[in-house]
Amino acid sequence: MSEQGVRVLVVDDERSIRRFLKASLGSQFVIFEATNGEEALAAVIADRPDVILLDLGLPDMDGVEVTRRLREWTQIPIIIVSVREQEQDKIAALDAGADDYLTKPFGVGELMARLRSAIRRSAQAETDPVFRSGDLVVDLNQREVSVKGQPVSLTPTEYDLLRTFVKHAGKVLTHDQLLRAVWGTAYESETHMLQVNISNLRRKIEPDPLRPGYLITEPGVGYRLKVI
Amino acid sequence: MSEQGVRVLVVDDERSIRRFLKASLGSQFVIFEATNGEEALAAVIADRPDVILLDLGLPDMDGVEVTRRLREWTQIPIIIVSVREQEQDKIAALDAGADDYLTKPFGVGELMARLRSAIRRSAQAETDPVFRSGDLVVDLNQREVSVKGQPVSLTPTEYDLLRTFVKHAGKVLTHDQLLRAVWGTAYESETHMLQVNISNLRRKIEPDPLRPGYLITEPGVGYRLKVI
DNA sequence: TTCCACCCTCAAGCCTTTCTCAAAGTCGGG
DNA sequence: CCCGACTTTGAGAAAGGCTTGAGGGTGGAA
């Protein structure tokens, strides 16, 4: 979710507000809509949004109640967007588990900044998936690599190289791409250094370094990390 | 931190505001104070607050800059409290890494609700206060460390260092990260002090300091507290 | 077959990082 | 003021990583 395609669920019974939010946010985010509390609860399941914009004055259920129900099982960021500016309303919503409270009317810029803030927070709790291929496990969060359960210690260069492969697992990476990613733009033609490091990596992670099962050579092009 | 004793750092150059906040919040929270940006950065190291209330208009440094500097190494919740109500100010602060933005004057009830919200969020990311790995036990509440049941006495610096490791147990921490977390932003390049303290820590907690089992060196990167 | 381009491995030299011991400096309490 | 605990600085040794060079292998083209 870190980059594009952040999913925002807009919960409001007024069509005009939904339209407005969709128009303002649509270019940056993927928008889903719900018009009442029940729909909202269902949409969180169905649409798996990354953040929720929730109006308090819903026809069937109070927004605070929606918040409470959601917090029973999920920590998705909830930003309240409401006309109510009474302090008691804010306190009730925040204590029910809302992350933020914005009073209408509000600036679109501020709303987007608060969205980014909420997303940033929940994104950092997120972890990169652990890469697995056969007996090879690469955990980018822990910076840990293991083969058949045995931890393997890599030098910084080797790890950078392997990380680049994992980020594009299965895809062919050219020599240039790898050299740029690991050594920087100035080293584009130092293919020898790449070879040596590929070789060293293979010695550490391949069961039979002479017949690579993970780091495949694509002759004339580059290398590829095989996904098994 | 889940219950009592939540530590709040108030950063504001106006004495009256600090007094007001201390009076309003003092019964619920433990209040620390700073009157400018430099003090704030130092106080975060020294006082270890759980949340920061930050004014934007500081005499020596803009609050946005303080936010940016803090976000280089810590995720402590930052709530901006400012007279500036321009949307641009809010956007800038939130994008610099602030968690919330409150415009003066504000209701104490709302402030406290937003504080609770921020604390609730960071509390759920909190680590288990008692860390165990093999024969090593670190109790962050009691500030007690023991190996094989034998209590170990650490100097303040050594303990800070170990605590940082425990908070990110299993993860590789770079030299920079450790230096910033323990000594402050100004010491980023003093790797030698880090080495000496790692060495001293190992002598106290490792069965065989020459072959570390807990504090693992990740050459070229940093160190890691192994989870067994 | 021979040549050539490309790929691979090994290892030595150099450089940087890391570790430890120890001395010097700092600070607060008695 | 002195003492002890702690922190910081210093120096030398050890370990480890990076780069480079040399040499061998392979496969396709002439």
Side-chain angles (χ1 to χ4, degrees):
Chain A
M1 125 160 101
S2 49
E3 284 301 297
Q4 283 302 33
V6 175
R7 305 154 75 87
V8 179
L9 174 64
V10 174
V11 185
D12 203 306
D13 57 328
E14 284 183 56
R15 182 182 183 80
S16 59
I17 303 234
R18 293 201 307 275
R19 288 183 62 112
F20 168 67
L21 288 174
K22 184 150 193 168
S24 337
L25 307 176
S27 61
Q28 309 272 337
F29 306 100
V30 183
I31 308 293
F32 299 87
E33 300 181 14
T35 62
N36 59 50
E38 285 300 340
E39 270 185 45
L41 295 175
V44 173
I45 307 275
D47 300 331
R48 305 227 147 271
D50 300 306
V51 54
I52 301 170
L53 291 184
L54 178 61
D55 182 35
L56 283 188
L58 300 176
D60 61 335
M61 194 189 306
D62 191 78
V64 174
E65 180 59 20
V66 175
T67 303
R68 213 185 319 274
R69 294 245 212 129
L70 285 171
R71 279 294 173 262
E72 286 171 7
W73 64 275
T74 179
Q75 298 303 324
I76 298 179
I78 299 175
I79 300 179
I80 302 292
V81 177
S82 168
V83 289
R84 305 187 199 162
E85 47 188 348
Q86 291 294 310
E87 192 175 13
Q88 274 314 316
D89 291 314
K90 299 186 186 178
I91 295 173
L94 291 167
D95 280 343
D99 290 76
D100 205 341
Y101 192 112
L102 211 48
T103 309
K104 297 177 192 170
F106 51 81
V108 173
E110 178 179 355
L111 173 61
M112 290 181 80
R114 289 189 184 267
L115 272 172
R116 286 192 295 271
S117 173
I119 289 159
R120 192 195 323 127
R121 271 197 306 266
S122 71
Q124 84 187 32
E126 201 181 340
T127 53
D128 280 331
V130 176
F131 174 85
R132 285 164 208 278
S133 177
D135 290 329
L136 173 67
V137 178
V138 182
D139 186 334
L140 295 180
N141 304 300
Q142 312 266 354
R143 197 191 185 275
E144 214 170 52
V145 179
S146 64
V147 178
K148 295 189 183 179
Q150 292 300 310
V152 176
S153 90
L154 302 180
T155 71
T157 314
E158 286 159 6
Y159 181 80
D160 278 355
L161 190 53
L162 183 56
R163 184 166 48 78
T164 309
F165 278 114
V166 168
K167 283 202 291 187
H168 307 283
K171 292 211 176 75
V172 177
L173 296 174
T174 66
H175 303 131
D176 291 13
Q177 284 177 319
L178 290 165
L179 284 161
R180 275 198 297 264
V182 177
W183 282 269
T185 326
Y187 292 75
E188 277 184 37
S189 51
E190 303 284 329
T191 44
H192 187 47
M193 301 204 319
L194 179 58
Q195 314 229 14
V196 172
N197 276 278
I198 292 278
S199 172
N200 291 338
L201 248 184
R202 280 175 175 159
R203 193 150 30 77
K204 291 184 179 179
I205 67 172
E206 295 279 4
D208 179 1
L210 296 179
R211 271 177 213 76
Y214 301 120
L215 283 178
I216 311 297
T217 300
E218 297 287 351
V221 188
Y223 300 90
R224 181 166 56 89
L225 176 60
K226 199 164 177 181
V227 182
I228 299 176
Chain B
M1 120 165 108
S2 47
E3 283 302 295
Q4 282 302 29
V6 174
R7 304 154 76 87
V8 179
L9 175 63
V10 174
V11 185
D12 203 306
D13 59 328
E14 286 183 55
R15 182 183 184 80
S16 59
I17 303 229
R18 293 201 307 276
R19 290 182 61 112
F20 168 68
L21 288 173
K22 185 151 191 169
S24 335
L25 306 176
S27 61
Q28 310 271 338
F29 306 101
V30 182
I31 308 295
F32 298 87
E33 300 182 15
T35 63
N36 60 50
E38 284 299 341
E39 271 185 45
L41 294 174
V44 173
I45 302 283
D47 299 332
R48 313 218 156 275
D50 300 305
V51 54
I52 301 170
L53 290 184
L54 178 62
D55 181 34
L56 284 188
L58 299 174
D60 61 337
M61 192 189 307
D62 190 80
V64 174
E65 178 61 20
V66 176
T67 303
R68 213 184 320 275
R69 296 250 209 121
L70 286 173
R71 279 293 173 265
E72 287 171 9
W73 64 276
T74 179
Q75 299 305 324
I76 297 180
I78 299 175
I79 300 179
I80 303 291
V81 177
S82 170
V83 291
R84 304 187 199 160
E85 47 188 347
Q86 291 293 312
E87 190 174 17
Q88 274 312 319
D89 292 314
K90 299 185 186 181
I91 294 173
L94 290 167
D95 280 343
D99 291 74
D100 205 340
Y101 192 112
L102 211 47
T103 309
K104 298 178 191 171
F106 51 81
V108 173
E110 178 178 357
L111 173 61
M112 290 182 77
R114 288 188 184 269
L115 272 172
R116 286 193 294 272
S117 173
I119 290 160
R120 191 198 320 129
R121 272 195 306 264
S122 73
Q124 81 189 31
E126 202 179 359
T127 53
D128 186 344
V130 180
F131 171 86
R132 287 164 214 277
S133 176
D135 291 329
L136 173 67
V137 178
V138 182
D139 186 330
L140 294 180
N141 285 329
Q142 308 292 323
R143 205 182 184 284
E144 250 171 24
V145 179
S146 65
V147 178
K148 295 189 184 180
Q150 295 299 311
V152 176
S153 92
L154 301 181
T155 71
T157 312
E158 286 160 6
Y159 181 79
D160 276 356
L161 189 54
L162 184 55
R163 186 171 47 75
T164 308
F165 277 113
V166 168
K167 281 205 292 186
H168 307 282
K171 285 214 178 76
V172 176
L173 296 175
T174 65
H175 305 123
D176 292 13
Q177 286 176 318
L178 290 165
L179 284 161
R180 279 199 293 256
V182 176
W183 282 270
T185 325
Y187 292 75
E188 275 184 42
S189 50
E190 303 285 329
T191 45
H192 189 46
M193 302 203 320
L194 178 59
Q195 320 244 26
V196 174
N197 277 278
I198 292 276
S199 175
N200 291 338
L201 248 183
R202 278 174 175 160
R203 196 148 29 76
K204 291 184 180 181
I205 67 172
E206 295 278 4
D208 179 1
L210 295 179
R211 272 178 213 75
Y214 300 120
L215 283 177
I216 311 296
T217 300
E218 298 284 352
V221 188
Y223 300 90
R224 183 160 57 93
L225 176 59
K226 199 164 178 181
V227 183
I228 300 175

